[in-house]
Amino acid sequence: MNAGEEYLDLFFDEVDTSLEALNQQLSLLSKNPGQVSIIAEIFRIVHTVKGMAATIGFNTISRVCHRMEELFDFYRKNPQEVPTQTIQSELKALDGLFKIVENLSSNEGEESSISKTLSDALCKELEEELKKLNVPKNANVPKNTKALAQTPIIEQAVSRERKFEIKVKFAEDCLMPGVRAFMTTQVLEKNGHLLESDPPSESFLDNIEIVSSGLKAIITSSKPLEQIQSRLLKISDVIEVEVLEREMSGSSHNLSAEQIPISLPITVTKSIKEINYYEKSPEQIEKLLSDFQRHEIAIGNLNAFQVDLVLTDEVVNAEEQFFNLLNNLNEYLGQIIYSYPSILELGQKQENSSEAKTLTNLLNVEAAKFIAHSEKLHFVLLVDGSHKNILDFLSDACELNKVEVKEIEFDWQKKAETEQSPEAQTEVKSIQEENKDLSFTKSGDVKTAFVRVNMATLESLMNSVGELVINHNRIKLAMGDGATNEERSILQYLHQVTTKIQQLVMSIRMVPINQVFTRFPRFIRDMSRELKKEVLLEVEGENTEIDRLMVDELNEVFIHLVRNAIDHGMETAEERLEKGKSKAGTIKMQAYAQGNNVFITITDDGKGIDPQNIKKKAIQKGLLTAEEAEIMSHNEVLELIFAIGFSTADKVSDLSGRGVGMDVVKSRISSLGGQIFINSVVGEGTSIRLSIPSTISIIQALLINEGNGLYAIPLSQIKEIVSINVLAQVYEIGSCDIILLHNETIPLIRLGKYIDLEKVSENNLKNQSNILVVIVNSEEKNYAFIIDSLVGQQEIVIKPISHKANQEGLVNGATVFGDGRVAMILNIDQITKMYLLEHESREFPNDDTGEEALYWASRY
Amino acid sequence: MSHTAPSVLIVDDALFMRTVLRDILTKNGYQVIGEATNGHEAIERYQELHPDITTMDITMPELDGIAALKKIMEIDQTAKIIMCSAMGQQGIVVEAIKQGACDFIIKPFQPNRVVQALEKALQVSAGE
Amino acid sequence: MKTEHISFSNQYIIFTLAGETMGVPINFVREVLNLNSHNLYKIPGAPPFYKGVINLRGQVIPIIDARRKFNFGLNLAQTDSPKAIIVEYDKEQFGLVVDGVEEVARIEDDCIEVAPGHLSTIDKDRKIGRISGKEEDGKDRFVFILSKESLFDSFDKKTSPGQFRKIPNETLI
């Protein structure tokens, strides 16, 4: 079955999640190769993926999964340590699956030859692993034995107990016939005592012959034959049940013994293979359809069913009954396309045939015929429903002896599904969507259901919310002080609702950064193995939330950074031991949120970056002259690795070779509105720090005037706003000013100096008696910013500003007001860093030299 | 004629599977009244909703389908539970049938088979 | 993108800047608008050739002063009604301030050549294009062709880090 395009997105989405989970579990397993719970979980996930892939028809995936599953099924049933080699193969298979999924997704669900080849290769490798296991297949199943069923034989103690021989046939396309056979014996056990079965119940599960041979059983039961029979027919895939009553004293244990049927066998067959003379082929039926009907069938709105029925003997006037039935069907359930005997003929026989005439144009005229008792009646019906609807209707409407409902499939139906013109396709889609809506309202109580949302939709929702906020503020502004109390309260309510929507939309977008981190244990293990280096991973702050939009982008960035760290940064175990370091290197991934930013550091304790090497490379590549290199600071040199086309690798490594350069990493981070800092100490390691906005697109901000401009400071970073008496509270230390506030010394920074380069303020502080300062917190330190005036507090929407225009990172975007004005959102952290940089570490000794270097790095 | 759509509880850890199944069922006149993603949820939801039929995935996190089946059968002997299995799980399916599951369907789901299984399950009255 | 590229290929927006005529590929241009200096907002710490940002229908778009960016005709007076050509680069939009926008012209690839060595051009690609018969006397008209990249070339000496790394050095009090 091809589940079709409507499920593709859902499939890719979910399969991705599953594969990520699998990745994580495999990583865990490699640490605890014997842990049963992990093995069980892996089995479960693989199984799930297999099921999904098979449903949508991606054999390339399901085949690989099947073999992965088999492997883990073995370890699940035979608890023991999974060998490293097996885990490796599984990991490889997982990688392959990721690739196949990617390939499928980029090919819009088309299985390419690449994915097929890959799938074949993976299957082969997994099969090799499977062979090693030597799974004892069917080892404990005795073959060809006609053993007695295990049920104790209870001889006919009850007087009314009768003995039956039962033959059951299963549908040819029956899946798991063994289980069907088992279900049959279950039913028999419930309805009597199973004496014997052929094949014996022990060999059900591996016996595919059951489909062709059927199941024979001998039971004793006090129940009526018909009841047993009808119960058996309710087992799925059971298509024929024959029940013969046998003499109680007969040789009950030998089925091949002479059989003396006491009553005539009643055989109910549910599959009528032969085409009756009155039946029409799908092609003939098709000719009876209108264009509209064909269309409706093609798009699945209508289904065509062929119904054969036999009325019970008790029915007196079969013609009338059938006529009425057809009319009722036509009126309440669907459209009769054809019937035998024809409705028209039937109608003519009726006293009042007026009803029938209305149907004339719908129906095909067939030769008139009287209906004899127990004669098969036949009609073709178009309904918007299933077998079940028809059966329900029929069983309510008339007394039936037998009924068979069969769906008619037209050749073009399948073709139409795959080869529709674009217009037709969209039409199908919209109809399906309508159906979905319908099903959604029907199943209104689905509390656990999730709705997957396209990120673009979410993004545009977010923008709309932003507009809402802006307009809310506009109304507020327009109403001014003259607003009535009622207006005020409406506005207040509007504000509450808007805030709520904002929070909801934001919460939808935020995901823990763990989504990015989880890939790495495995990635690092693979890489370290390949490069023969020992590397441990430490993760901190994995619950830090980031915008879902950034996950993919960050993932690529991290892969590159981690790859660099292992490939270029980490020494081999021998080198490390020689240097007196621990044998295994450590890579630390840390994340934490502060204010509107998320900080992520990736630190290794490898050999660090030698600035001399970088200089050499840069000069070689013509990026700078020897003279320029001479006067560069340590950090300026380190920053060169972000220059376009720069790479520190001495040889092109297989692993790093396919990656992107650090320049691309930098531009990626910039495009996210973030910054990247580097610090490295030769012999001790390298630390890369990223600062990215957590993209809380709407924030509370303090609006201030400074110089000629209007600026916004995120409220989350503001501790307080105070008026300071210059004489009493401002002190001069070295080249710096500080204020004393609540017994704390706080650096005093003239904001205008950093953000308004044109306005080099001549104002001397000493000429002023009072100054207005905003106390802000940055990286856990307080700073006092002098500002000109306060405008107010307001919710603002962050609009990104191209990094190209914001290379210093002094702003975190801008915001637009209802009246069209634009205000820059200040990046307090960056401004304080510039301040610290300027005043070096003399005045503000910083015990953490790494941080110090980062401040330097942050300048570019 | 009154046709109240039979109510179904779908239990499967994969959203994808639930969606496919829900679509099949709703298109065929069933009413999906609830979904659960693991065995624990399945038991909870069953007690809460008392569906006519429950489709139960076998392999699920936290509590698997077999365990959930046992629990539900303890609570309600007349529960009609159809197991959702994959090829190769015969042994487990047999176990499920022993525990009282009324039928099974095999992934990948074929709509007509799914519908057939549900129809059959509805036809069988408790204790028959 | 691809089809767009094909259909607009060889078309250029011809504009004037400090008395010179120049062209930018049209597939790079989103729109042209009048620039009102009142609506420009400064970006702290931006490279000096950024005049600021404008609010274009809710989007914040940086505006590049083409004269300063290309160090070109700085001493010539600007027009009273400058235009901003909104261009898209790397999924971001920028405005390029020019003196005037004249027309959309077609310049075939074989009419574009590298300028002779002694001629100073605006970017390092040194491309000039020839539009036939456009001058008043019927002569061909030559325009400097501005490549997309030249606007954002980060290795352009003028945009090298050194220049705007400087922090004002005056003391506070």
Side-chain angles (χ1 to χ4, degrees), chain C residues 131-141:
Chain C
I131 310 170
S132 48
K134 271 293 161 122
E135 292 296 324
E136 276 164 23
D137 53 6
K139 274 187 183 167
D140 289 354
R141 182 183 205 180

Side-chain angles (χ1 to χ4, degrees), chain A residues 1 3 6-7 10-11 14 41 43-44 47-48 50-52 54-56 76 173-176 178-180 182-183 186 190-191 205 230-231 233-238 270 386-389 391-393 396 435-436 439-440 442-443 445-450 452, chain B residues 1 3 6 13-20 22-23 26-28 30-37 41 45 48-49 59-61 85-94 97-98 102-104 106-111 113 115-117 119-120 122-124 128:
Chain A
M1 167 190 136
E6 51 173 315
Y7 299 119
L10 186 56
F11 171 80
E14 195 150 13
E41 181 63 9
F43 176 83
R44 185 189 68 74
H47 184 84
T48 304
K50 184 178 92 169
M52 292 194 288
T55 299
I56 205 155
R76 205 166 57 116
D173 57 350
C174 165
L175 296 168
M176 292 192 191
V179 182
R180 295 294 177 207
F182 176 79
M183 287 172 77
Q186 282 273 118
K190 265 197 183 166
N191 288 280
L205 293 196
S230 77
R231 178 61 189 86
L233 280 168
K234 287 175 187 168
I235 299 170
S236 297
D237 286 335
V238 168
K270 292 192 293 172
S386 67
H387 297 83
K388 195 178 139 44
N389 301 115
L391 282 171
D392 280 354
F393 192 97
D396 281 0
N435 286 346
K436 266 185 200 154
S439 68
F440 199 77
K442 268 190 191 167
S443 55
D445 187 38
V446 186
K447 282 181 194 154
T448 49
F450 287 90
R452 303 258 164 165
Chain B
M1 265 173 307
H3 290 284
D13 57 323
L15 171 64
F16 174 73
M17 280 302 179
R18 293 200 303 276
T19 309
V20 171
R22 172 156 32 93
D23 285 0
T26 44
K27 273 181 196 154
N28 285 286
Y30 290 86
Q31 188 189 357
V32 177
I33 56 167
E35 294 183 12
T37 61
E41 268 182 38
R45 311 247 69 200
E48 186 183 317
L49 301 168
T59 37
M60 284 186 297
S85 147
M87 288 307 287
Q89 287 186 314
Q90 306 199 24
I92 303 172
V93 176
V94 168
I97 302 287
K98 280 185 188 161
C102 62
D103 203 345
F104 65 95
I106 293 174
K107 295 174 195 175
F109 295 134
Q110 300 194 353
R113 283 179 179 277
V115 172
Q116 192 190 36
E119 278 168 17
K120 298 254 177 187
L122 285 172
Q123 283 168 21
V124 177
E128 198 184 329

Side-chain angles (χ1 to χ4, degrees), chain A residues 102-155:
Chain A
E102 204 184 309
N103 192 282
L104 282 170
S105 136
S106 57
N107 285 333
E108 282 159 15
E110 212 56 52
E111 290 190 309
S112 69
S113 59
I114 302 171
S115 48
K116 277 178 191 147
T117 320
L118 189 56
S119 169
D120 286 345
L122 294 173
C123 287
K124 215 167 170 189
E125 178 158 352
L126 290 168
E127 273 159 21
E128 288 302 310
E129 288 299 313
L130 275 167
K131 273 185 202 155
K132 291 182 201 157
L133 299 180
N134 234 338
V135 187
K137 269 212 168 151
N138 314 338
N140 44 13
V141 181
K143 279 188 180 158
N144 297 325
T145 48
K146 289 194 176 181
L148 273 178
Q150 277 161 337
T151 357
I153 304 163
I154 299 167
E155 286 303 325

Side-chain angles (χ1 to χ4, degrees), chain B residues 77-93:
Chain B
Q77 287 184 4
T78 64
K80 287 180 177 170
I81 301 179
I82 294 177
M83 305 307 287
C84 304
S85 147
M87 288 307 287
Q89 287 186 314
Q90 306 199 24
I92 303 172
V93 176

Side-chain angles (χ1 to χ4, degrees), chain A residues 359-429:
Chain A
L359 295 163
T360 331
N361 52 347
L362 282 173
L363 301 167
N364 191 39
V365 183
E366 279 285 315
K369 193 180 177 297
F370 288 99
I371 299 172
H373 280 312
S374 74
E375 187 180 344
K376 267 188 185 169
L377 304 171
H378 177 84
F379 62 90
V380 173
L381 177 72
L382 294 186
V383 281
D384 173 17
S386 67
H387 297 83
K388 195 178 139 44
N389 301 115
I390 301 175
L391 282 171
D392 280 354
F393 192 97
L394 292 176
S395 56
D396 281 0
C398 56
E399 286 165 70
L400 295 168
N401 197 6
K402 199 177 135 185
V403 63
E404 189 197 350
V405 180
K406 209 167 95 187
E407 184 161 359
I408 301 171
E409 261 191 48
F410 301 101
D411 280 353
W412 42 264
Q413 226 172 324
K414 273 184 188 156
K415 277 180 209 152
E417 271 161 28
T418 50
E419 295 171 16
Q420 271 161 3
S421 63
E423 299 95 307
Q425 263 174 359
T426 49
E427 199 166 351
V428 173
K429 219 170 173 188

Side-chain angles (χ1 to χ4, degrees), chain A residues 610-819:
Chain A
D610 186 349
Q612 293 312 316
N613 279 349
I614 296 181
K615 279 189 196 173
K616 255 193 277 169
K617 267 260 139 61
I619 294 167
Q620 243 175 47
K621 300 206 170 194
L623 297 180
L624 71 163
T625 63
E627 294 77 46
E628 280 174 319
E630 206 50 49
I631 53 163
M632 285 177 101
S633 74
H634 176 76
N635 282 91
E636 280 175 318
V637 175
L638 285 181
E639 281 161 30
L640 282 171
I641 69 165
F642 296 123
I644 290 169
F646 193 90
S647 159
T648 52
D650 285 333
K651 58 179 173 76
V652 175
S653 139
D654 173 40
L655 287 159
S656 300
R658 61 182 158 164
V660 291
M662 285 296 271
D663 53 333
V664 178
V665 169
K666 188 184 165 87
S667 79
R668 287 267 165 88
I669 293 299
S670 302
S671 71
L672 294 176
Q675 291 169 275
I676 185 162
F677 315 125
I678 183 167
N679 178 36
S680 186
V681 178
V682 175
E684 285 175 25
T686 304
S687 172
I688 305 267
R689 189 161 80 135
L690 310 174
S691 143
I692 49 167
S694 50
T695 319
I696 299 188
S697 315
I698 299 179
I699 55 166
Q700 280 284 346
L702 182 75
L703 299 180
I704 57 150
N705 271 322
E706 171 61 24
N708 302 318
L710 178 65
Y711 299 91
I713 301 173
L715 209 59
S716 58
Q717 278 183 284
I718 293 177
K719 293 200 85 172
E720 60 181 310
I721 301 155
V722 283
S723 178
I724 295 283
N725 184 307
V726 176
L727 277 176
Q729 285 169 283
V730 179
Y731 300 83
E732 203 178 320
I733 304 179
S735 65
C736 303
D737 295 299
I738 58 152
I739 60 166
L740 196 58
L741 186 68
H742 316 309
N743 283 328
E744 185 192 356
T745 56
I746 300 171
L748 184 62
I749 304 174
R750 175 161 294 170
L751 188 56
K753 181 171 150 185
Y754 297 95
I755 60 173
D756 193 356
L757 296 175
E758 276 182 13
K759 176 205 161 196
V760 178
S761 180
E762 300 84 22
N763 290 349
N764 195 316
L765 272 187
K766 281 174 182 155
N767 296 340
Q768 290 169 279
S769 57
N770 279 296
I771 50 171
L772 192 60
V773 300
V774 178
I775 311 293
V776 297
N777 186 273
S778 170
E779 318 245 308
E780 281 150 49
K781 289 190 183 94
N782 289 337
Y783 300 88
F785 282 155
I786 307 170
I787 59 166
D788 281 355
S789 65
L790 282 175
V791 176
Q793 177 189 331
Q794 194 175 324
E795 228 152 28
I796 58 167
V797 180
I798 302 178
K799 304 267 181 183
I801 286 187
S802 165
H803 177 68
K804 292 186 177 68
N806 183 27
Q807 294 189 351
E808 300 258 4
L810 291 181
V811 298
N812 269 340
T815 190
V816 175
F817 297 101
D819 60 7

